[in-house]
Amino acid sequence: MTTIPQFEGSFDRLFTDQREEGNPAFFRAFYDRFTLDEQVADLFRYTDVEKQVSMLKRSIYDLVGFYVTGSPSAELYRLAAIHQSLGIQPQLLDIWLDALLVTVAEFDADYNEEVRLGWIAALSPGLTFIRLELMAT
């Protein structure tokens, strides 16, 4: 399996000491940034913020799981199915990724272009899987 050291180093810097909770400040900042988009904000208007922050955290870990194993987990299938049932449009994944990258840049002191590309490369297989599931309607 190919590894992406830039991604793995950044992930470790962000979450190693906080694997159980997953750096709550990071995920809260990510959620706040993600919901700045009007279309996203409309989708989450009546959502419990803390529950949604927790779900966003799990979705990142599910995508990292795809990177580690090379295949989608049952959780990633479930995530894709939930988003498909809600009528989520594939282009929202781009907004999601942009918000994540800006948040990584904010929290990772060693963030640079190589780290950004590492995150994109690591999460792209899982995001592509979800995108294809959303388009399969």
Side-chain angles (χ1 to χ4, degrees):
M1 177 179 119
T2 303
T3 61
I4 305 169
Q6 298 83 356
F7 162 73
E8 292 178 13
S10 177
F11 189 85
D12 285 345
R13 285 188 297 276
L14 293 172
F15 305 116
T16 293
D17 294 335
Q18 302 169 47
R19 291 265 187 218
E20 290 300 310
E21 292 185 36
N23 194 342
F26 175 91
F27 291 105
R28 182 57 195 211
F30 168 61
Y31 176 81
D32 291 344
R33 187 164 285 114
F34 183 47
T35 56
L36 286 175
D37 181 273
E38 209 172 294
Q39 191 176 2
V40 173
D42 286 345
L43 290 170
F44 294 129
R45 185 170 317 281
Y46 302 108
T47 303
D48 176 336
V49 172
E50 292 311 312
K51 181 178 178 183
Q52 194 58 41
V53 168
S54 175
M55 291 176 70
L56 287 166
K57 176 177 78 170
R58 283 195 313 268
S59 68
I60 291 172
Y61 287 158
D62 290 341
L63 290 169
V64 172
F66 192 109
Y67 161 73
V68 170
T69 66
S71 62
S73 63
E75 292 83 10
L76 200 57
Y77 273 102
R78 187 178 146 285
L79 180 67
I82 289 168
H83 284 78
Q84 187 180 47
S85 72
L86 294 171
I88 301 299
Q89 298 300 307
Q91 66 269 18
L92 290 180
L93 296 175
D94 298 328
I95 297 167
W96 184 93
L97 182 59
D98 288 344
L100 178 66
L101 293 172
V102 172
T103 308
V104 171
E106 177 186 345
F107 281 80
D108 182 358
D110 293 339
Y111 187 86
N112 59 28
E113 183 64 11
E114 288 181 0
V115 169
R116 184 181 81 79
L117 292 173
W119 275 86
I120 292 169
L123 299 185
S124 286
L127 289 171
T128 299
F129 167 78
I130 293 172
R131 188 179 306 274
L132 291 171
E133 291 292 305
L134 293 176
M135 294 168 52
T137 340

